[in-house]
Amino acid sequence: MTVTARSKYSTGAMIFHWVIAAAVITNWRLVEAAEHASKVDEAYWMGHHKALGITILALTLGRLAWRLTHPIPPISTAVPQWQRVLARTTHILFYVLLIGLPLGGWLAGSYFDRGVDIWGLFTAPALPVGSSSEMGKTIIGFHKTGGEILIYLIALHILGALKHTFWDKDGTLFKMLPFGKVKG
């Protein structure tokens, strides 16, 4: 395969990728700050966590729409089949978690009759599910577990990109960057 424009992701895909990546890491740090804060400060940090979660949901839906309408670079046939399957599975799991986690957090808050204030700009209203603190707590438990899985998945994704770029020397990382060369 020769290096062509198709060997890299589109500029839009790159922007979505890096903005969502930064938002997810920031959101993880926000919830960590909330867990170690006083009750008053916890509400402050969680308010930002929830608002950023809804923003991540919107960005992910935008990225998914972009992904469905713009071709992605193929995985090299030199990559073993099991690694190609792992890469595709990881990307599918990212979409599931990047959509499911914000929806789950919003749903859990809805069981406590709470909408999500988006930085004072507007409020995403509570979903029409009724009140049930037990159900809200259960969903928050799943939400936390999903968040932990997402962090491990990010680590796997980073390790895979670094392995391919620096060990295999195929330039995989540069598929998602506007600079650098992808080896054909």
Side-chain angles (χ1 to χ4, degrees):
M1 177 174 90
T2 59
V3 176
T4 65
R6 190 145 148 65
S7 68
K8 290 183 170 253
Y9 284 87
S10 66
T11 300
M14 289 181 199
I15 292 168
F16 274 120
H17 177 273
W18 293 109
V19 169
I20 291 170
V24 167
I25 298 302
T26 299
N27 223 21
W28 170 46
R29 299 310 302 151
L30 286 171
V31 80
E32 289 290 321
E35 287 181 3
H36 296 94
S38 67
K39 284 292 179 193
V40 172
D41 289 339
E42 178 186 12
Y44 170 82
W45 293 116
M46 286 306 294
H48 287 294
H49 173 77
K50 293 172 185 179
L52 189 52
I54 296 298
T55 303
I56 290 167
L57 173 62
L59 287 168
T60 301
L61 292 173
R63 181 175 182 184
L64 184 58
W66 186 273
R67 164 67 183 82
L68 294 173
T69 58
H70 293 77
I72 64 169
I75 298 175
S76 170
T77 55
V79 174
Q81 179 65 23
W82 72 268
Q83 289 180 21
R84 285 184 278 173
V85 169
L86 181 60
R88 292 291 181 226
T89 302
T90 300
H91 282 96
I92 290 167
L93 288 173
F94 270 132
Y95 281 111
V96 168
L97 290 169
L98 290 171
I99 293 169
L101 285 171
L103 286 176
W106 188 8
L107 180 62
S110 296
Y111 276 111
F112 291 102
D113 296 319
R114 295 186 199 131
V116 180
D117 175 57
I118 311 298
W119 294 297
L121 300 172
F122 64 94
T123 299
L127 299 169
V129 293
S131 296
S132 173
S133 60
E134 275 191 41
M135 184 59 79
K137 288 176 186 176
T138 299
I139 293 170
I140 285 296
F142 287 122
H143 180 79
K144 286 181 179 181
T145 300
E148 291 169 3
I149 291 168
L150 180 60
I151 295 302
Y152 290 122
L153 200 60
I154 290 168
L156 176 66
H157 183 64
I158 291 169
L159 288 172
L162 294 174
K163 178 243 185 226
H164 280 283
T165 300
F166 299 111
W167 183 274
D168 298 340
K169 300 191 184 312
D170 64 9
T172 292
L173 179 63
F174 299 114
K175 286 182 175 185
M176 194 49 83
L177 292 170
F179 55 85
K181 297 211 185 301
V182 178
K183 185 179 172 186

